[in-house]
Amino acid sequence: MLLLLLPGCASLYFPPPPQVPLLTQKGEWSAGVHTNASQNTAVQGAYAISDHLGVMGSASFLHTNKKKEAVDHDFAELGLGYFTRLPDKRVLEIYGGYGGGRTKRVERNPTEGITRTLEAGLNKYFVQVNYTSKEKKSYYLLGRDWPLTYGTAMRASYVTLTDFRLNGQPAFNEDNILFEPITYARVKLIGPLDGQFISGYNFGLKHRKFLKAANSVFQIGIVVNLGGQSGEK
């Protein structure tokens, strides 16, 4: 969070929330939508094509036009991986995948107008591990119980800028290795519909000026799973 308060820390990469479908058997599908205070919104979906093989995809977008800057960011990911249900009913998932998109930032001030324009393509390769925790809680509120479960996702990504232009002129295409460990909590709302809260960190393993770990991974959203095994995950 401190990175968000430091001047000059703007990054051209806005991480989508790591997807945690928690698949358990062939034919199950998961869908969700998440957003945060920065208006970085993601729509996600996953499907179990066999008892241990799943595919997942997501599309995220951020379009803002504020006094000091305007941002246009569109990004999509596709992943393939292995999932299994552990003997104690928890779920373990391992995914790998690719993502790509476009990003643009226009910076300005009241006296000079537009001061800088940055635009580039984005390429990303990632590996990710998801697992649920043994810890479970239930809170009684408004005349009913609200079951709450927890889990963790650990994602490592190799991200590169392509066709990077600074004020319309070709610039050096940066790359970085980003590590995004997150925790999530799911509260059962009604039927298969859950509310999900994601928080975590974003670490850049390389020192970069424009492609760095400087944007929040906090997200809040709704998730639904249909066709899976019964019982808490």
Side-chain angles (χ1 to χ4, degrees), residues 41-71:
T41 301
V43 179
Q44 303 175 327
Y47 180 73
I49 58 180
S50 75
D51 281 332
H52 293 289
L53 188 64
V55 294
M56 65 179 187
S58 69
S60 61
F61 49 91
L62 171 62
H63 297 281
T64 62
N65 190 4
K66 299 180 181 179
K67 188 174 182 179
K68 292 185 178 181
E69 67 176 17
V71 175

Side-chain angles (χ1 to χ4, degrees), residues 97-172:
Y98 170 80
R102 295 288 303 177
T103 186
K104 181 178 181 180
R105 180 191 302 276
V106 178
E107 301 173 355
R108 56 199 176 209
N109 64 45
T111 56
E112 301 177 51
I114 295 176
T115 57
R116 189 168 66 169
T117 300
L118 309 95
E119 53 187 323
L122 287 166
N123 283 333
K124 172 180 176 179
Y125 297 92
F126 69 88
V127 292
Q128 178 179 327
V129 178
N130 308 328
Y131 62 92
T132 51
S133 171
K134 288 184 177 180
E135 184 179 7
K136 298 179 177 67
K137 293 183 179 180
S138 184
Y139 295 93
Y140 186 81
L141 183 66
L142 301 176
R144 58 160 287 188
D145 288 324
W146 301 86
L148 192 67
T149 58
Y150 305 87
T152 301
M154 294 181 290
R155 170 180 282 200
S157 304
Y158 176 66
V159 185
T160 60
L161 296 179
T162 61
D163 191 26
F164 180 33
R165 293 185 173 271
L166 180 59
N167 294 327
Q169 300 300 313
F172 176 72

